[in-house]
Amino acid sequence: MTIEGRDLSIGYPDRLVGSGLNVRLAEGEVLALLGPNGGGKTTLLKTLLGLLVPRRGEVRVMDKPLHELPIAERARMIGYVPQVHHGTFAFTVESVVLMGRTAHGSLFAAPSADDREISMAMLDRFGIASLAQRAYTEISGGERQLVLLARALAQEPRFIVLDEPTASLDFGNQGKVMNEIRGLAEAGLGVLFTTHDPNHAMRAATRVYLLRDGTRLAEGKVTDVLTVENLEALYRANVQTLRDERSGGVAFLPG
């Protein structure tokens, strides 16, 4: 099972953001999308999700055109965690996560015992079960990000798309999310996430896709693509590396 964007031109009615883009995500792999601000990462994600219509080309899921799939079926296939979300209504945290279960039933049906059990299991998975009865509008930005991750997993999708999932998280929760991404892939899900940190891609991804000014600069295995030369071209900044003598692991630093 795959999500595939073929010869995509992406953008908005008044602005073309990128063109000639081919992206493929299979079950069981993690694809990290890297690039500077304004480079087209979020626009590409929204196009792959069907939130934006391609200016050219098409998106296919299981080799079917995405636009032909009913909304409920898309929700059962793909979970999405946006970059920023500001709650308007004071739903409880548990209620927000339960919204992910509507992919498997009616929007207006009362949650079943199974729905509640799955939702609480997802909250517990991220260590935030104690927030279940708190108002979503009264918790921190980092806590909201974890709640949205729990909601996406409560959908029980085959693919998870994450737009900068660690942006508002503290150091410890960043590590938790990176571990979770690897665990999802090991369980057979396909994961696509954007990040500004090549070290997160090095840690969690199997493949990387470098995007600048709406153009693909490179794509492939993490160890092949994440080089000083490619990262300097991507960010137009100097990049240094640190290497662990014992493990051989590499970390990238700006400057």
Side-chain angles (χ1 to χ4, degrees):
M1 189 182 296
T2 62
I3 297 175
E4 190 171 3
R6 300 179 178 177
D7 193 26
L8 292 177
S9 291
I10 60 174
Y12 304 88
D14 62 341
R15 179 166 57 95
L16 182 67
V17 173
S19 60
L21 302 175
N22 292 285
V23 186
R24 185 178 185 274
L25 175 67
E27 288 183 300
E29 72 172 358
V30 180
L31 176 62
L33 178 59
L34 275 74
N37 291 331
K41 300 189 302 299
T42 296
T43 305
L44 178 55
L45 288 196
K46 288 183 176 180
T47 304
L48 293 172
L49 290 163
L51 301 176
L52 291 174
V53 177
R55 300 283 297 273
R56 177 181 174 181
E58 67 172 354
V59 178
R60 301 181 73 87
V61 179
M62 291 181 61
D63 208 32
K64 298 178 182 177
L66 178 64
H67 70 271
E68 294 181 4
L69 297 179
I71 296 298
E73 187 173 351
R74 294 188 203 180
R76 290 191 293 272
M77 298 288 294
I78 309 170
Y80 173 49
V81 180
Q83 184 180 141
V84 177
H85 183 264
H86 301 290
T88 303
F89 301 102
F91 294 111
T92 66
V93 164
E94 181 186 19
S95 296
V96 172
V97 178
L98 278 168
M99 291 174 189
R101 297 300 301 161
T102 60
H104 298 272
S106 168
L107 179 64
F108 303 104
S112 67
D114 188 51
D115 291 333
R116 292 189 181 279
E117 183 178 348
I118 290 170
S119 296
M120 287 304 298
M122 294 305 107
L123 287 170
D124 189 58
R125 189 169 183 166
F126 290 102
I128 53 173
S130 62
L131 300 178
Q133 299 310 312
R134 292 274 303 278
Y136 180 75
T137 51
E138 296 176 2
I139 61 178
S140 71
E143 289 169 335
R144 281 198 292 268
Q145 190 74 359
L146 294 175
V147 172
L148 294 179
L149 282 163
R151 184 180 69 179
L153 293 187
Q155 290 177 225
E156 298 184 305
R158 298 312 308 159
F159 298 94
I160 295 283
V161 176
L162 309 157
D163 195 1
E164 296 192 32
T166 63
S168 57
L169 299 181
D170 61 36
F171 185 74
N173 280 323
Q174 286 184 31
K176 182 183 295 184
V177 169
M178 288 296 104
N179 287 336
E180 187 65 38
I181 285 173
R182 289 300 312 153
L184 292 172
E186 290 166 5
L189 278 70
V191 183
L192 170 58
F193 74 98
T194 67
T195 180
H196 287 293
D197 190 341
N199 298 305
H200 286 167
M202 182 71 77
R203 175 176 177 179
T206 49
R207 290 193 300 116
V208 292
Y209 193 106
L210 307 186
L211 185 68
R212 183 181 179 89
D213 297 330
T215 300
R216 187 197 71 172
L217 297 188
E219 178 189 9
K221 290 175 56 177
V222 171
T223 52
D224 294 337
V225 174
L226 288 184
T227 65
V228 168
E229 293 76 18
N230 282 340
L231 291 173
E232 288 184 337
L234 180 66
Y235 293 109
R236 295 180 183 170
N238 293 328
V239 174
Q240 300 179 29
T241 60
L242 292 176
R243 185 176 298 274
D244 188 299
E245 295 291 340
R246 290 181 296 177
S247 68
V250 174
F252 297 99
L253 298 173

